Amino acid sequence: MRRIWTEVAAILLAAMMLGGCATSKDQLLPHGDSTMLDVWQQEAGGSGVGGQAARQLLDARQSLRRPLTEADVQATPTANAAYTRTASTEIYRQFRRLPNPDLVMYVFPHLAGTDPVPVPGYSTVFPLYQRVQYAMPGERVEDY
């Protein structure tokens, strides 16, 4: 009984797959005379329902745009730039970097590698702490 059901299922599956191959692409995906550019312009701002809304939005934005007047240019905050809050000044004023002194190390002349190659002495600089540390707002960062 079980074998009969598996044979029936296999025959139905084969019939469905063959039926899918018999479908015409033009019947499934009909196409007209419009090109992709026509479809884009219709949907993004040309004539049509979606384009109508986009055109109204663009007109509303254009009405808000205006050139700067002489009074606007005179009112620029050049004198008040020190009082203006920006992202960088906010970070550097509230979270100051803690001192991280540089250490100078002298490397003596030595031999290096599997074939001993002479390396002359040199000086190198590296920070004392591996990471940059920041002070909490209001924490004292001056030398004690």
Side-chain angles (χ1 to χ4, degrees), residues 62-85:
Q62 289 291 34
S63 67
L64 294 174
R65 290 186 183 134
R66 57 181 171 77
L68 291 176
T69 63
E70 190 63 34
D72 293 333
V73 173
Q74 295 298 328
T76 54
T78 55
N80 298 332
Y83 302 107
T84 305
R85 290 172 53 174

Side-chain angles (χ1 to χ4, degrees), residues 28-100:
L28 252 167
L29 300 169
H31 53 77
D33 294 334
S34 59
T35 63
M36 282 304 293
L37 181 61
D38 296 336
V39 172
W40 172 261
Q41 287 176 345
Q42 180 180 359
E43 294 299 322
S47 60
V49 179
Q52 189 85 18
R55 174 56 61 191
Q56 289 175 349
L57 181 62
L58 184 61
D59 291 342
R61 286 181 179 165
Q62 289 291 34
S63 67
L64 294 174
R65 290 186 183 134
R66 57 181 171 77
L68 291 176
T69 63
E70 190 63 34
D72 293 333
V73 173
Q74 295 298 328
T76 54
T78 55
N80 298 332
Y83 302 107
T84 305
R85 290 172 53 174
T86 63
S88 64
T89 58
E90 198 68 21
I91 289 172
Y92 289 124
R93 285 188 186 157
Q94 285 189 0
F95 300 100
R96 296 185 184 261
R97 284 187 171 195
L98 291 175
N100 190 3

Side-chain angles (χ1 to χ4, degrees), residues 19-31:
C21 293
T23 307
S24 167
K25 75 170 180 80
D26 292 331
Q27 183 182 6
L28 252 167
L29 300 169
H31 53 77

Side-chain angles (χ1 to χ4, degrees), residues 60 71 79 87 106-107 110 113 119:
Y106 179 75
V107 179
H110 60 281
V119 177

